[in-house]
Amino acid sequence: MMSDIKEVLISEEQIQKKVDELADQISRDYRDKHPVLVGVLNGAFVFLADLMRRIDLDCTIDFVAWSSYGKDTSSSGVFRIMKDLETNVESRHVLIVEDIIDTGLTLHYLLDTIRARKPASVKVVALLDKPSRRRIEAKADYLGFQVPDAFVVGYGLDFAQVYRNLPFIGILKPEIYAGRGTPPDELEE
Ligand code: IMP
Ligand code: MG
């Protein structure tokens, strides 16, 4: 698996230090609020698991999973909920937990969906942001790292469902996805 990685972009130590900082900030900002942490499956589960164990508050977790119709999913932007929240978020403080904001489409539609349920507040914590690829406005209130326009894997992020268990964020060698008929640009969850 390591031989498929061109470069370690963010080390395990760097990630853990950043997760500590984000959790401290969130613990201060949500004092006495009992937020609902909403993880976006599958990519965000590792980040959510680390983050929640450092948050010093009562909090609830829940998950959503998204899919999209059609092949050119990113540009059509037609999203479908594969797994909805179990929690009624009306009047709750919702904190969406994302692995990476890329085009911004996932976050845009998720925010629309959650806001329609009349929460007390909605904010976003994202481990990574790739602003160069944005197609629609989307912004994290709490952000780990900005990354360049490269396909990254590890710490929950996959290529073709592999590499999620790497403890760091790495850049995949282009020859790994070349010739597999599925350029990362067209991948969704
Ligand atoms: P969006 O383009 O902002 O809607 O991002 C959709 C999803 O694509 C993210 O939540 C990730 O799961 C996935 N994704 C985007 N960029 C990458 C990447 O570089 N590596 C792995 N997954 C990615
Ligand atoms: Mg994701």
Side-chain angles (χ1 to χ4, degrees), residues 98-100 102-106 130 150-152 157-158 189:
E98 254 291 29
D99 51 357
I100 184 167
D102 186 32
T103 62
L105 288 164
T106 303
K130 227 191 266 182
F151 197 76
V152 293
L157 289 106
D158 73 305
E189 295 296 88

Side-chain angles (χ1 to χ4, degrees), residues 66 96 106-116 122-124 137-139:
W66 290 83
I96 296 174
T106 303
L107 193 55
H108 181 86
Y109 286 100
L110 184 55
L111 279 167
D112 271 2
T113 303
I114 289 184
R115 282 190 183 124
V122 195
K123 285 191 177 183
V124 177
E137 201 191 322
K139 190 176 151 296

Side-chain angles (χ1 to χ4, degrees), residues 38-183:
V38 174
V40 184
L41 293 173
N42 292 331
F45 83 104
V46 176
F47 178 41
L48 175 61
D50 279 350
L51 185 73
M52 70 171 291
R53 281 178 289 176
R54 292 170 166 88
I55 290 179
D56 182 22
L57 294 172
D58 288 348
C59 61
T60 302
I61 61 153
D62 205 339
F63 294 95
V64 289
W66 290 83
S67 188
S68 27
Y69 292 111
K71 186 166 166 286
D72 190 10
T73 48
S74 299
S75 57
S76 69
V78 180
F79 281 76
R80 181 164 59 116
I81 297 176
M82 300 291 288
K83 186 217 167 294
D84 202 343
L85 294 173
E86 318 269 330
T87 314
N88 176 4
V89 295
E90 188 174 343
S91 306
R92 300 291 306 270
H93 293 282
V94 176
L95 184 58
I96 296 174
V97 183
E98 254 291 29
D99 51 357
I100 184 167
I101 308 175
D102 186 32
T103 62
L105 288 164
T106 303
L107 193 55
H108 181 86
Y109 286 100
L110 184 55
L111 279 167
D112 271 2
T113 303
I114 289 184
R115 282 190 183 124
R117 299 176 187 180
K118 303 192 181 0
S121 69
V122 195
K123 285 191 177 183
V124 177
V125 52
L127 181 69
L128 305 176
D129 185 13
K130 227 191 266 182
S132 55
R133 299 236 324 153
R134 205 70 93 245
R135 292 192 194 176
I136 197 163
E137 201 191 322
K139 190 176 151 296
D141 299 281
Y142 304 92
L143 176 67
F145 305 92
Q146 277 200 3
V147 295
D149 184 7
F151 197 76
V152 293
V153 294
Y155 199 70
L157 289 106
D158 73 305
F159 170 65
Q161 302 302 329
V162 186
Y163 311 105
R164 293 193 198 274
N165 54 328
L166 292 172
F168 55 81
I169 300 287
I171 297 180
L172 203 57
K173 287 181 181 165
E175 59 262 39
I176 301 301
Y177 50 81
R180 291 194 52 171
T182 318

